[in-house]
Amino acid sequence: MLGVFNGCGSRTISKGIVVMATFMLLSACGGGGGGGTPPAASSSSIGAQLTANAGPDRTVNAGDRVELDPGVTLVGANGFSLGNGALEVTGTSTVSTDVVKIQWTKMEGASVALSTNDTTSGKAFFIAPDVGIEANVKIVYQLKITNAAGKTAEDTLTITVNRLNKKPVVDAGADISSNADLPLTLTGVASDEDGQVVKYQWKQISGPTVTINNASSAEANFVAPTTDVSVALIFELTVEDNDGAVAKDQITVSVAAGGAPRLAIHFPSAFGIYGKNTISAFGSASAVDGTLASVTVDAGTGPLNAVVDAVGNWRLENITVSAGDTFTVTVEALDSFGRKTSQSRTLNQTGFSVGSGDDWDETVGIGIDSALNKLYVLTSGFLLEDVTLLSVDLSNGNRSQPISSFDKTSQGLNDSALTTMAYDPIGKMVYAATAPAVGTPKIISIHPVNGTRRLVSDNTRGSGATIQYPTSLALGRNSDSLYVADVNASRLVEVTVANGNRSTVADASLQTVPVDAPATIAYLPGNSQSSGRLYWAPNLVGDNVVVDTLLSVTPSSSLLSNSFDFFQGTGIKNMLKGMVVDSARNSIYLVDGNDDLFTVDLTTGYRTRLAIFTGSTRIAFDDTKGLLYLVEDLNGGPVVYVVDPVTGNKIQLSNK
């Protein structure tokens, strides 16, 4: 009920607040003037009633549009301001009763972005925010109106925002190719943005029936059936969140006839855009019984014999591809009994976009999970909402919604000045470093399923050397430590993940080649926890070098590759963007400051340029399949590539 004055007697006030402008009467109410009946007052002597009514309190769902209507008309509009969740419109009038100011101010509750369709009405709206894991949140707005006489009235409006449960996200994994009678594992990944996944259930949809072990967990297993012909089995993973919402995904397992050779194609990828006339291919093959007789590769111009080593790794380069918009690479493995296994890859020769999903502004770093067939991408940008962790599905190029959004405090720490990242495929964890303009740098962890962010090390957690400016991270030997390049302190630091302790493993006191402004590092494990090698490059402008630091009780360094030495190949330039180690090929792969991709021989230091990129590029290496992945930031958006580390052939895997 709105508040009004009732003559000279009592008054009632409930939701609205009423301001009554009155004038002095000649005779006071209730006495004086000889006790006669008081004369009737004119309308001008009573004045004008000013009432603020923000409307009834209401309950909405997250994502709903919430309208704010002042219910009055502004006169003589001449001013407008909007920002920080508040709106003010002003006008002018010589009539005392006219409304000349309307103000909406958020008094409490979650942050919202207030908007309006015009600048004179005082009407506004906002989209009810995500409430995270809370059941609901309350947002209180105050409406204040002012008339030309300077009188004001106020009212408040409470909006209760209920959580609208979001379905979980599930990925049953990349399709699998196998031979008969082999044990196979189904690995699913699920997450729930506003809760948690509480139930997993695998079931078989089609194909010869098999027994699924651990069917009610994220990771199940079975034995491929015995079969005389190639068959396909389809499995479905269903997950349920704590609010009862479900999501499903399927995976196809192709099983070759019993006894046929095992075959895997690592490159080229199963999809993508490739515009050159020749391509390379490599993978692995083995005989189930008997011996492997041959591996042939055909890109539409006739089969060619691949080179196969003693353990079944096969490779063929400079394969001419057939003309047209698409071409197919078919690989066939033959054993000594004449049994065959074949697989194919079809690529586009033209096109631009690959995969679905949104893109991102800037790439901080990338990490590969070969088992899940995912590329994790840490992103940044101008706004806090641009700082996220997402993934790219390497079976189709699709880009996920953010797994971790740094503007969501419900997911943990929101330090956004990110400099680098590293991924642990064994412990399934992303690590990142921050270097804020004000405050202490941090090493943090980001869970790649639920997106939670936790502190690993800073001056409040762990003891030891204070990291001044971390520019590069490398995963330690057993996933229990990280190596950090501290460019400002000219030292290499080891961080223990469990307790955050920091210890200097090499610094400017080293003999031969002191540590000097290390900008990029890569780690090659040794035979023990305390051994191994750290390869690093300094923050230099112009010709650069790669230094080999041997980790031991008494560490030492030597110059592995020097761009000033022309006998060691093409020079690398400026501050490196990233560096990874390939122990199987005894090589380092690096992206220099000009965004060129190089390989460096770990024995001779010889440098070879593999590929040229034009945008800022980040690099990761899949040591299971021997593949390089790079993300190139271009004006039109980021592009994900898979690269053959021997030939430099690159296939475009994902971009919007």
Side-chain angles (χ1 to χ4, degrees):
M1 182 169 61
L2 301 178
V4 297
F5 286 100
N6 298 315
C8 297
S10 64
R11 60 181 181 177
T12 60
I13 300 177
S14 60
K15 179 164 176 55
I17 299 175
V18 178
V19 177
M20 178 71 75
T22 60
F23 295 90
M24 182 72 70
L25 301 181
L26 293 176
S27 298
C29 296
T37 302
S42 68
S43 60
S44 62
S45 68
I46 294 176
Q49 178 177 304
L50 185 64
T51 304
N53 185 1
D57 295 341
R58 67 194 84 162
T59 299
V60 300
N61 291 325
D64 287 350
R65 177 174 167 135
V66 180
E67 303 281 352
L68 303 180
D69 188 343
V72 296
T73 302
L74 183 79
V75 177
N78 61 6
F80 167 79
S81 66
L82 178 67
N84 297 321
L87 170 70
E88 178 180 297
V89 291
T90 57
T92 182
S93 177
T94 58
V95 179
S96 63
T97 57
D98 285 345
V99 174
V100 295
K101 183 185 290 187
I102 300 172
Q103 297 167 282
W104 287 103
T105 306
K106 187 170 70 66
M107 307 302 291
E108 63 178 86
S111 175
V112 297
L114 202 62
S115 303
T116 185
N117 291 325
D118 64 73
T119 60
T120 62
S121 68
K123 295 180 180 180
F125 68 90
F126 64 87
I127 303 302
D130 187 350
V131 303
I133 62 174
E134 302 295 331
N136 58 66
V137 297
K138 294 185 184 298
I139 299 173
V140 178
Y141 261 93
Q142 180 193 72
L143 169 65
K144 182 178 181 180
I145 60 175
T146 306
N147 65 18
K151 302 298 183 181
T152 62
E154 299 173 357
D155 191 22
T156 57
L157 169 66
T158 299
I159 301 103
T160 301
V161 182
N162 289 332
R163 180 167 66 88
L164 190 62
N165 183 44
K166 297 179 181 179
K167 291 176 59 176
V169 177
V170 61
D171 185 349
D175 292 344
I176 299 172
S177 295
S178 174
N179 288 91
D181 304 316
L182 293 179
L184 298 172
T185 299
L186 302 172
T187 303
V189 177
S191 62
D192 189 46
E193 184 177 336
D194 57 354
Q196 57 184 337
V197 176
V198 297
K199 184 178 180 181
Y200 293 81
Q201 188 62 51
W202 288 96
K203 71 175 181 179
Q204 186 175 354
I205 301 299
S206 65
T209 302
V210 298
T211 299
I212 305 175
N213 302 310
N214 301 319
S216 58
S217 64
E219 188 173 283
N221 60 81
F222 67 97
V223 175
T226 300
T227 177
D228 294 328
V229 295
S230 296
V231 295
L233 292 73
I234 299 177
F235 298 89
E236 183 175 80
L237 173 60
T238 301
V239 299
E240 182 177 324
D241 70 11
N242 55 307
D243 288 304
V246 300
K248 300 179 180 182
D249 191 31
Q250 293 184 351
I251 179 175
T252 299
V253 179
S254 300
V255 180
R262 301 185 180 98
L263 174 65
I265 302 175
H266 299 327
F267 189 91
S269 53
F271 67 99
I273 299 174
Y274 183 82
K276 297 176 66 175
N277 296 324
T278 62
I279 195 169
S280 54
F282 69 89
S284 63
S286 62
V288 175
D289 48 49
T291 58
L292 186 65
S294 66
V295 175
T296 59
V297 184
D298 185 355
T301 56
L304 300 169
N305 286 319
V307 176
V308 185
D309 68 15
V311 294
N313 295 314
W314 59 267
R315 168 175 281 278
L316 187 61
E317 299 173 7
N318 297 315
I319 310 162
T320 302
V321 304
S322 60
D325 292 337
T326 65
F327 68 93
T328 299
V329 177
T330 301
V331 181
E332 182 178 272
L334 176 71
D335 70 10
S336 54
F337 294 104
R339 293 170 297 199
K340 301 177 181 179
T341 299
S342 65
Q343 294 183 29
S344 296
R345 302 284 190 262
T346 298
L347 300 175
N348 293 321
Q349 289 185 293
T350 60
F352 177 75
S353 177
V354 184
S356 62
D358 293 332
D359 57 9
W360 57 92
D361 285 350
E362 300 174 13
T363 305
V364 175
I366 59 176
I368 183 73
D369 192 315
S370 185
L372 300 179
N373 212 27
K374 288 182 181 295
L375 183 74
Y376 291 103
V377 184
L378 189 62
T379 76
S380 185
F382 182 74
L383 302 174
L384 186 59
E385 65 190 35
D386 297 327
V387 185
T388 68
L389 175 72
L390 54 85
S391 67
V392 177
D393 189 334
L394 297 177
S395 64
N396 52 30
N398 292 343
R399 301 167 293 280
S400 76
Q401 291 295 310
I403 301 167
S404 187
S405 298
F406 279 62
D407 62 339
K408 292 184 178 179
T409 56
S410 60
Q411 290 185 307
L413 296 170
N414 64 348
D415 294 52
S416 59
L418 303 174
T419 60
T420 184
M421 72 159 275
Y423 179 66
D424 175 8
I426 298 175
K428 307 296 183 187
M429 190 63 67
V430 174
Y431 296 99
T434 73
V438 178
T440 304
K442 293 180 173 63
I443 308 299
I444 65 173
S445 65
I446 311 172
H447 198 286
V449 176
N450 59 33
T452 54
R453 302 180 294 274
R454 299 286 184 265
L455 177 64
V456 173
S457 184
D458 72 350
N459 61 355
T460 67
R461 185 175 191 268
S463 59
T466 298
I467 297 173
Q468 296 182 19
Y469 199 100
T471 54
S472 184
L473 293 178
L475 193 67
R477 178 182 176 82
N478 294 321
S479 302
D480 55 4
S481 66
L482 296 164
Y483 290 104
V484 183
D486 189 348
V487 65
N488 283 4
S490 288
R491 62 188 167 199
L492 307 176
V493 179
E494 184 177 17
V495 176
T496 303
V497 172
N499 54 26
N501 288 344
R502 303 168 298 277
S503 59
T504 299
V505 296
D507 57 20
S509 66
L510 279 184
Q511 299 297 316
T512 311
V513 184
V515 177
D516 184 15
T520 309
I521 57 172
Y523 175 64
L524 178 63
N527 296 323
S528 66
Q529 180 67 25
S530 60
S531 66
R533 312 186 91 91
L534 276 175
Y535 299 97
W536 59 273
N539 180 17
L540 289 180
V541 176
D543 291 326
N544 211 328
V545 300
V546 176
V547 180
D548 174 4
T549 296
L550 175 64
L551 301 178
S552 64
V553 176
T554 306
S556 60
S557 288
S558 60
L559 200 59
L560 171 65
S561 188
N562 183 358
S563 291
F564 294 96
D565 185 348
F566 298 107
F567 293 103
Q568 287 188 311
T570 305
I572 53 178
K573 303 290 185 180
N574 303 320
M575 177 178 170
L576 272 58
K577 303 290 184 66
M579 184 162 54
V580 293
V581 179
D582 180 356
S583 58
R585 296 189 179 98
N586 195 42
S587 297
I588 284 177
Y589 308 111
L590 60 86
V591 177
D592 75 356
N594 291 345
D595 297 298
D596 292 346
L597 173 63
F598 284 83
T599 178
V600 180
D601 187 283
L602 291 180
T603 302
T604 65
Y606 193 84
R607 302 172 300 274
T608 304
R609 182 187 284 120
L610 288 176
I612 297 174
F613 294 86
T614 57
S616 182
T617 305
R618 298 294 181 266
I619 186 172
F621 181 64
D622 179 356
D623 56 7
T624 302
K625 299 174 182 176
L627 292 169
L628 282 169
Y629 290 90
L630 292 95
V631 175
E632 181 181 29
D633 288 344
L634 299 173
N635 291 335
V639 182
V640 179
Y641 296 94
V642 60
V643 180
D644 180 345
V646 174
T647 64
N649 290 164
K650 57 183 180 181
I651 299 172
Q652 184 175 323
L653 288 183
S654 183
N655 68 291
K656 188 172 181 180

